[in-house]
Amino acid sequence: MTISFKTKVRKQLVEAAKSYSKLLNVKITASSNLFVVSDKYILRFYKTNFLHLTGVKTNLSAEEFFNRCFNESIMEENFDCDSSKEIKGFVRQKLKHLVNFHSIFEQKLLFQEKFEKGKVSCTIATTNGECTIGFIDAKYCVRPKTILDKNHLDKSKNIVEIIPLLERIF
């Protein structure tokens, strides 16, 4: 029996939400005197950023979508992800990394300020070589905007290697 693409995506959304949730009460600090714009960036993760990272479409609010994925009550009719081959590929690439999202920050990473890729413009981006995560400004921190497959940092710009500092916040 063949499992549908949407069924596989639902399963991955649940796994991804559980992984992403491990970063909700964590502050990650990336600091270096090699940065040009700021010497330190605080990375924070919010429930409302999860939906955008998945690449799926839904009529649910971003927070409700995350909550349903996390508590495993998300239904296939709650989201759309298979309207074209391009969308399927896009979602597949994002979820491949989101299912183990929290572990990305438990290692040495490459960071780049003023990251740009196509129409995407971010304050800072980081990569572990397998995926690139772009962050945008929020008042006192940066929050995730995009996740791309593979390393997309611009080799012609300053790249800084850092072991990020993870701190639990309550």
Side-chain angles (χ1 to χ4, degrees), residues 13-153:
L13 286 170
V14 169
E15 289 177 43
K18 302 233 186 244
S19 180
Y20 187 87
S21 74
K22 294 177 183 178
L23 294 171
L24 293 178
N25 294 313
V26 172
K27 173 176 87 170
I28 299 174
T29 305
S31 60
S32 173
N33 58 359
L34 299 176
F35 284 140
V36 176
V37 178
S38 177
D39 61 343
K40 176 171 70 173
Y41 292 91
I42 306 295
L43 287 58
R44 290 290 313 275
F45 301 85
Y46 302 96
K47 291 179 180 182
T48 53
N49 297 116
F50 177 74
L51 170 60
H52 185 71
L53 296 175
T54 67
V56 304
K57 303 293 182 210
T58 184
N59 290 327
L60 301 173
S61 72
E63 188 165 354
E64 184 177 3
F65 178 79
F66 173 82
N67 288 336
R68 286 193 186 190
C69 290
F70 182 76
N71 69 27
E72 302 182 32
S73 65
I74 191 79
M75 306 295 286
E76 289 181 29
E77 57 268 12
N78 294 142
F79 63 92
D80 181 32
C81 63
D82 55 1
S83 55
S84 71
K85 278 187 177 182
E86 183 180 29
I87 299 290
K88 281 183 174 181
F90 189 59
V91 169
R92 190 178 288 119
Q93 285 181 351
K94 288 176 170 289
L95 289 177
K96 171 173 76 171
H97 302 292
L98 281 172
V99 295
N100 295 308
F101 196 67
H102 73 283
S103 64
I104 292 169
F105 300 94
E106 297 171 350
Q107 60 191 305
K108 191 178 289 185
L109 298 170
L110 300 177
F111 285 85
Q112 184 170 73
E113 296 172 297
K114 295 185 177 180
F115 173 77
E116 292 183 5
K117 179 71 178 174
K119 294 180 183 180
V120 176
S121 180
C122 298
T123 305
I124 193 166
T126 187
T127 186
N128 62 356
E130 296 176 25
C131 69
T132 302
I133 305 164
F135 295 84
I136 58 171
D137 271 326
K139 284 193 179 186
Y140 303 103
C141 60
V142 291
R143 60 183 173 83
K145 178 180 182 174
T146 190
I147 184 166
L148 305 167
D149 192 35
K150 301 183 181 151
N151 179 351
H152 288 276
L153 300 187

